Amino acid sequence: MSGSRSTSGRRLGALTASAALLVTACAGHGPILANPALVLPAPPTAGPTPTAIPDPIAIQLPLDDGPHDRLTEWWYYTGHLVATDGRHFGFEAVIFRAERGSVPTTWASHLALTDESGNRFLYAQRSQIGGPVSLTQRHLGGSPTGFALSVKGFDPSDPSSLLRTPWTLEGSGGRDRITAALSTQEATRAGGSFGLALDLTSQKPAALHGANGWIDFGPAGSSYYYSRTRMAISGSLMLEGASLAVTGTGWFDHQWGDFISVGGGGWDWFAVELADRTELTLSIVRAADGTLPLVYGTYVNAAGQATNLDRAAFAVTASESWVSPHSGAMYPAAWHIEVPSQGLVIDLTPTVADQELDTRPSTGVIYWEGSQRVNATRSGLPLAGEAYVELTGYAAARP
């Protein structure tokens, strides 16, 4: 997650407030998707103002691909790329939106690359206040135009950042595009330069999570949430100045609602794409006392039909751990998953151990999100696959 400013202390202060709002905005992400936990309060003058709209109302696509007048929203991609030279990569690209009372809408973006063949992990982050996006939700009479989001941000330590190219996510109806590249300063901080120019096309209908895309958090609020679980990818990856033609598969999550914080202890999120063209996503949300207030999943069959899974329908066991040399946090580092109704047994291990992101400058948290090696069977028969895992809350107690 990232940070920004301008030519005066006044703008710097405004963007500092913006970053605090983004921390608040991204907090509830865990119970529904993949993202960090709340660690900083919003400024006192920026109290939440939920939109007075009856819930739930049915999700309509592609209309609801676009932004909504809600407290919290994000568009989240993870995926797996293969270059023509045979190298394998994982990636993450996300934009968060936060709306808090009279404070201008705030945005944050994270961009990450796992160089599986080179055993390294690169990431960068941006944030900004305000933006060119207009709301298109149906209760304001919008039309199904999808989304066209951009985050440029401003880095107070790098005046040239005023001229840098925005990171953009755009799409509608499952035909999307990601365009993003690190500036020179960002590449220096990341330890290497990279960029993405990817076209994504959904291979299945959107999967609605929870009750037809509606998740009720009780006192914490509520959320709409759907995924496009298998997207064909083509395009290019820029790495250290070289352009590599790539193909691959991607996963897209879109979530929005009037919520701020859910899962005070963090969460583990799993997204698995299997070679028989089925997909599985699981969310395990921890309360601050270690209990599990929310555990759920969604299974998508080869025909694209989604089935919701309650906590009794699957089991997840962590079998190894990894200690970050950066934050000192201890993360689980291998998992055994069983879904008896599907005859599935899945073992996951990270392709690169260190896929931790310190996004305190933009969203105030440290989290781990990375690509996985998949060793699976269905009814005892071997089954290949690809996966992503997100882990939050493990570094929450550290400064």
Side-chain angles (χ1 to χ4, degrees):
M1 315 182 175
S2 106
S4 310
R5 314 301 173 270
S6 169
T7 56
S8 70
R10 179 178 60 186
R11 168 100 184 234
L12 176 61
L15 284 164
T16 300
S18 169
L21 285 177
L22 285 163
V23 172
T24 306
C26 297
H29 196 101
I32 7 204
L33 167 90
N35 206 20
L38 181 148
V39 294
L40 297 177
T45 58
T49 307
T51 306
I53 303 168
D55 287 318
I57 51 179
I59 289 178
Q60 296 181 19
L61 298 174
L63 179 59
D64 282 316
D65 285 330
H68 299 77
D69 182 21
R70 296 298 183 119
L71 292 178
T72 303
E73 186 166 18
W74 54 80
W75 296 257
Y76 213 112
Y77 296 90
T78 55
H80 310 271
L81 305 173
V82 180
T84 51
D85 62 5
R87 284 186 283 175
H88 287 249
F89 303 88
F91 76 90
E92 170 194 349
V94 56
I95 289 181
F96 305 99
R97 178 183 184 274
E99 183 177 325
R100 298 293 185 268
S102 60
V103 174
T105 301
T106 54
W107 305 83
S109 182
H110 300 167
L111 190 66
L113 182 73
T114 303
D115 182 352
E116 298 175 8
S117 302
N119 192 38
R120 63 173 178 163
F121 180 67
L122 307 172
Y123 72 94
Q125 56 192 307
R126 293 181 178 182
S127 66
Q128 71 179 49
I129 186 167
V133 178
S134 60
L135 296 176
T136 60
Q137 70 278 22
R138 60 186 170 280
H139 62 270
L140 292 185
S143 57
T145 56
F147 57 95
L149 312 171
S150 66
V151 176
K152 185 174 183 179
F154 175 71
D155 184 341
S157 68
D158 175 21
S160 67
S161 65
L162 286 169
L163 304 175
R164 66 189 180 190
T165 304
W167 296 347
T168 64
L169 307 181
E170 54 188 323
S172 178
R175 299 186 65 86
D176 303 349
R177 182 165 178 80
I178 301 170
T179 307
L182 271 61
S183 67
T184 301
Q185 277 277 50
E186 288 170 327
T188 299
R189 293 174 179 172
S193 65
F194 72 95
L196 303 173
L198 304 176
D199 292 303
L200 304 92
T201 303
S202 184
Q203 305 297 290
K204 293 185 176 183
L208 306 182
H209 304 293
N212 293 318
W214 168 258
I215 301 174
D216 189 348
F217 303 137
S222 57
S223 165
Y224 294 94
Y225 177 29
Y226 68 90
S227 300
R228 302 189 188 277
T229 59
R230 188 175 294 263
M231 304 191 78
I233 299 177
S234 62
S236 60
L237 163 66
M238 287 67 73
L239 183 62
E240 307 294 12
S243 179
L244 306 173
V246 294
T247 56
T249 60
W251 184 295
F252 170 66
D253 277 352
H254 183 200
Q255 185 166 358
W256 68 95
D258 288 331
F259 64 94
I260 298 179
S261 178
V262 186
W267 53 86
D268 300 347
W269 174 85
F270 304 84
V272 184
E273 296 169 311
L274 296 168
D276 62 0
R277 296 189 62 79
T278 63
E279 296 88 43
L280 176 70
T281 180
L282 305 174
S283 293
I284 301 173
V285 183
R286 304 182 303 277
D289 62 3
T291 58
L292 304 178
L294 186 59
V295 177
Y296 73 99
T298 303
Y299 174 78
V300 181
N301 70 14
Q305 297 170 318
T307 300
N308 293 323
L309 304 174
D310 62 23
R311 68 174 66 209
F314 61 91
V316 179
T317 305
S319 57
E320 297 182 24
S321 62
W322 175 78
V323 177
S324 168
H326 316 293
S327 68
M330 178 181 290
Y331 296 93
W335 300 267
H336 180 78
I337 300 171
E338 296 186 8
V339 187
S341 65
Q342 301 300 326
L344 280 175
V345 177
I346 304 170
D347 290 300
L348 303 178
T349 54
T351 57
V352 174
D354 187 354
Q355 298 182 77
E356 183 185 53
L357 298 89
D358 183 348
T359 61
R360 287 175 291 182
S362 61
T363 51
V365 296
I366 300 171
Y367 69 108
W368 192 101
E369 180 148 3
S371 64
Q372 306 291 312
R373 296 184 182 90
V374 178
N375 183 8
T377 61
R378 187 189 293 275
S379 302
L381 298 177
L383 185 60
E386 298 175 316
Y388 248 79
V389 170
E390 182 184 73
L391 309 169
T392 77
Y394 294 92
R398 304 189 65 84

